[in-house]
Amino acid sequence: MGLHGIAGAVCRALTAKKDGPSLYDVCDGVLLGYRGGNAHLGQFYRTALGNPALRPLLRRTGLPALKDADRLARLRAALISARDETTPDWAAVGAPIAELMDDIDVRHPQPPPATAPVRAPAMAEIDQTIRTTAAHLLRSFATNGFIPTYAAFNLLGDADMRGRELLMALTGLNARAYKNSTLLFSLARIFIARSPARALINPPWRGIAEPMWEPVQIRHRSAYYDAFFTEALLSFAETGLASVDEAAAAQRAISDMVAFCLRTSAEEVPSHDGSIVKVITALAPGPHPRFSRFFAQIRQNLGFGIYVPDCDTTACAFSAATQAGSDDPILDQPLLDFYRGYQVRSGANEPVVTVPLNDHVDYDGGVVTWIDNLNGDRPYGNDLDPTLNLDILEVTFRNLKRWKVIETPQRLETVHRIIAFQMNLVESGAFRNPRSHIYYLPELYSAYFGRCYAAFVALPLAAQRIIDPGNVFALIRSRVLGYVTGELITHEMNAFDAALALMALAHLNADAATFTPALHCIVHSIGEGGRNGPYNAYEWNKMKTPTRILVGGPEVTSAFVLMALTLARRRMASSE
């Protein structure tokens, strides 16, 4: 949105005709200046929703439904219960808000069809883009001492979060602060969706992955991101395009990031067999996340102070370190033994998924996201994401011999059950549905399946047959390629969409002729990032609760473009 559009949206929000009580009419009397009760609820309200930036934009947005005095009273009574009760009935607290959420008009992007470009960019343009994106990553590392990623709040919320899902979250999340923030963000989005400020908070965009609005990005460092930056720089080194100085700089960055993943971000947790295992947390203790003092305080005020390890960060960190040739003893741990304790078995431990936002998916065989720390904290409850399970398979294939997977029946069974989970997901077509994915998008699932598939086909044929006797990987490959070639690349894309499409196509050995739309988009989008880098920041992953929190950044886009182009370049060279 340009300056003219921003000014227009602000003007309309400030001068809108008010029709019913506003968010502040509902909440100020309940959540400002009270004593006793839960202090965090009021603190969150003042910090996130009642702040001087947002209040003027929403103060004239009224809700006609709340002109009903009884309905307004029930809503205020629910907020008072959340404020004053030690253990509120969260289903009852959320009920009046859930009723108001179901007619919010928030939808997933539906890009229009695009005209296919006539020819692919020249190899010289591809090589120059590889050099440009790699230089961006190396320059960022040299400037910051790490490669940053950013988080941004989208207050309009996620299209999949309706009243039913709100109640799932309120009853399934564990941390009181996280319940508070989910409750109030959900209430706020009801008003935002009806406000002229909506155009300012959530402007339209091109493609599927959402761009991130620069003024509200929170810079930080995480082992999860370092793992993928490591893979990107490894792919650059393999091209032969790096100068001597660039190759040395890339190796220094890779060594630092692997150490950050395996040492700085490692913590011990209890396994289900009573042993202690080292896993990787996505947010290491301070000062390692590198938040500014300002955002560190806001994070604390918003109730995000406790963070626990997760299965995805652990898998991706182990994978990146393995690819980088690390011999750290932590890699000798057979993660499958640990993951088995977090694997869902229908009718047995299925309630481990306490926040089942994608409950149309058959969870059997899948591994959940969050890992209990030594204190037993589980602030986010638990959920199950399909893409995470691809990462578990990928790291397993890279460590098949080290972990003696084929030789250990229990480990092999764990792998077979994850593969069966993926087969059910793909056969049903659910992988194409954004609602199936907790932290990612279908296009990213496709790229990550390609990454997993490449690790699988690199195994000896005998091992492939033992791991996949039913030829499931061939079935999933066919369905994912159908989605990418039939839907994703035939519609308008942004650079991040195109990078993910290209990663999937190259990893899955698609005909090089199918690369053209994605290559064209990537090469012709370069420069869009202005002073921040070659490309804009786009949504890489997200949190659906407490609101839609996007994670990405200009460096992230450069990393995915770099990986996609190096893969495509190799495939194009081999097909000549």
Side-chain angles (χ1 to χ4, degrees):
M1 178 181 287
L3 290 177
H4 182 75
I6 292 172
V10 170
C11 182
R12 287 189 293 275
L14 295 177
T15 60
K17 182 179 179 181
K18 188 176 173 184
D19 185 18
S22 71
L23 174 67
Y24 305 109
D25 294 332
V26 172
C27 296
D28 278 359
V30 177
L31 299 179
L32 289 182
Y34 64 91
R35 294 184 179 181
N38 183 264
H40 174 261
L41 191 69
Q43 182 184 52
F44 182 90
Y45 174 67
R46 292 189 299 273
T47 302
L49 305 180
N51 62 75
L54 191 61
R55 185 178 284 268
L57 295 176
L58 294 182
R59 68 183 182 86
R60 298 193 62 80
T61 297
L63 207 62
L66 295 182
K67 290 192 284 188
D68 180 327
D70 289 340
R71 200 168 190 180
L72 177 60
R74 287 198 304 274
L75 177 56
R76 283 182 173 148
L79 294 174
I80 290 170
S81 294
R83 183 193 71 187
D84 293 347
E85 294 180 15
T86 305
T87 55
D89 178 344
W90 286 102
V93 167
I97 297 176
E99 292 173 6
L100 296 168
M101 286 179 65
D102 284 332
D103 61 347
I104 292 179
D105 183 21
V106 181
R107 305 177 187 180
H108 292 290
Q110 295 180 316
T115 302
V118 176
R119 62 179 64 87
M123 188 61 72
E125 293 180 282
I126 294 172
D127 286 354
Q128 183 55 48
T129 306
I130 289 173
R131 290 189 178 99
T132 299
T133 50
H136 179 215
L137 297 182
L138 294 174
R139 185 171 61 251
S140 181
F141 186 88
T143 300
N144 300 294
F146 70 107
I147 302 177
T149 306
Y150 301 82
F153 291 92
N154 180 333
L155 297 181
L156 187 59
D158 194 276
D160 295 318
M161 288 296 295
R162 302 288 178 174
R164 174 176 175 269
E165 288 73 28
L166 168 64
L167 297 180
M168 285 180 178
L170 290 178
T171 55
L173 297 167
N174 285 0
R176 176 70 175 266
Y178 212 59
K179 291 174 183 277
N180 288 343
S181 53
T182 299
L183 180 76
L184 291 183
F185 270 139
S186 297
L187 178 59
R189 66 190 291 247
I190 297 167
F191 292 86
I192 292 168
R194 293 166 172 81
S195 170
R198 171 179 178 154
L200 181 66
I201 292 169
N202 191 235
W205 66 88
R206 178 187 180 91
I208 297 175
E210 184 175 343
M212 296 169 62
W213 196 33
E214 184 178 351
V216 290
Q217 292 180 15
I218 303 170
R219 189 185 76 166
H220 61 297
R221 184 181 192 181
S222 164
Y224 181 77
Y225 317 141
D226 274 23
F228 281 94
F229 290 135
T230 295
E231 289 194 22
L233 291 180
L234 285 170
S235 72
F236 177 51
E238 292 171 1
T239 64
L241 296 174
S243 68
V244 173
D245 288 345
E246 287 174 329
Q251 187 53 57
R252 287 193 298 272
I254 288 168
S255 297
D256 179 271
M257 290 189 290
V258 169
F260 182 82
C261 288
L262 300 189
R263 297 173 197 163
T264 306
S265 301
E267 68 174 283
E268 293 184 332
V269 299
S271 186
H272 294 266
D273 62 3
S275 63
I276 298 297
V277 177
K278 278 191 175 181
V279 297
I280 311 301
T281 184
L283 211 58
H288 300 295
R290 304 291 288 267
F291 290 112
S292 70
R293 184 178 299 178
F294 173 71
F295 281 122
Q297 185 59 53
I298 286 181
R299 177 173 168 266
Q300 195 68 34
N301 290 346
L302 295 182
F304 305 138
I306 299 176
Y307 216 89
V308 292
D310 65 274
C311 293
D312 209 7
T313 299
T314 302
C316 292
F318 274 46
S319 175
T322 301
Q323 293 175 65
S326 172
D327 59 358
D328 193 298
I330 194 174
L331 299 176
D332 293 333
Q333 298 176 124
L335 284 179
L336 287 173
D337 293 348
F338 176 74
Y339 286 141
R340 185 180 179 88
Y342 284 95
Q343 189 172 41
V344 174
R345 294 180 180 270
S346 294
N349 68 337
E350 198 161 9
V352 73
V353 183
T354 65
V355 190
L357 302 180
N358 54 349
D359 61 354
H360 62 290
V361 170
D362 182 355
Y363 296 142
D364 186 55
V367 175
V368 296
T369 303
W370 301 102
I371 298 170
D372 295 1
N373 63 19
L374 281 175
N375 294 326
D377 294 320
R378 194 184 295 173
Y380 314 115
N382 229 321
D383 48 49
L384 196 152
D385 186 273
T387 307
L388 176 157
N389 282 264
L390 292 176
D391 291 335
I392 293 174
L393 291 176
E394 192 267 352
V395 73
T396 297
F397 299 153
R398 292 194 181 277
N399 291 277
L400 199 73
K401 288 185 178 179
R402 190 200 308 252
W403 295 347
K404 295 181 171 58
V405 174
I406 289 177
E407 299 87 344
T408 311
Q410 181 173 284
R411 293 171 193 164
L412 186 59
E413 184 204 24
T414 300
V415 171
H416 283 159
R417 296 189 67 242
I418 297 174
I419 292 173
F421 162 75
Q422 297 291 352
M423 181 187 71
N424 290 335
L425 176 84
V426 172
E427 273 196 320
S428 70
F431 83 99
R432 307 158 92 119
N433 182 354
R435 183 170 168 254
S436 302
H437 305 276
I438 301 295
Y439 300 105
Y440 304 99
L441 293 168
E443 56 176 346
L444 197 128
Y445 176 89
S446 302
Y448 281 27
F449 173 72
R451 176 174 169 270
C452 179
Y453 180 84
F456 172 72
V457 298
L459 297 172
L461 283 174
Q464 291 182 38
R465 294 190 182 105
I466 294 170
I467 291 166
D468 183 22
N471 214 20
V472 171
F473 272 84
L475 179 149
I476 300 177
R477 175 184 179 272
S478 174
R479 299 291 177 87
V480 168
L481 278 177
Y483 164 71
V484 175
T485 58
E487 296 182 39
L488 182 54
I489 65 173
T490 62
H491 291 75
E492 284 188 355
M493 296 181 287
N494 55 49
F496 198 78
D497 301 333
L500 296 177
L502 190 58
M503 282 181 66
L505 294 170
H507 270 316
L508 298 177
N509 297 316
D511 190 315
T514 63
F515 299 176
T516 298
L519 287 171
H520 188 274
C521 178
I522 288 169
V523 169
H524 288 84
S525 296
I526 197 164
E528 67 178 16
R531 62 183 175 82
N532 294 319
Y535 296 97
N536 289 330
Y538 293 97
E539 167 192 356
W540 172 14
N541 54 73
K542 63 179 180 292
M543 299 275 290
K544 294 187 176 185
T545 60
T547 188
R548 185 170 165 83
I549 303 175
L550 308 180
V551 177
E555 287 86 354
V556 170
T557 309
S558 284
F560 275 92
V561 166
L562 174 58
M563 286 191 284
L565 291 182
T566 56
L567 289 167
R569 184 179 187 271
R570 188 189 313 153
R571 282 279 294 114
M572 292 164 74
S574 66
S575 64
E576 289 179 353

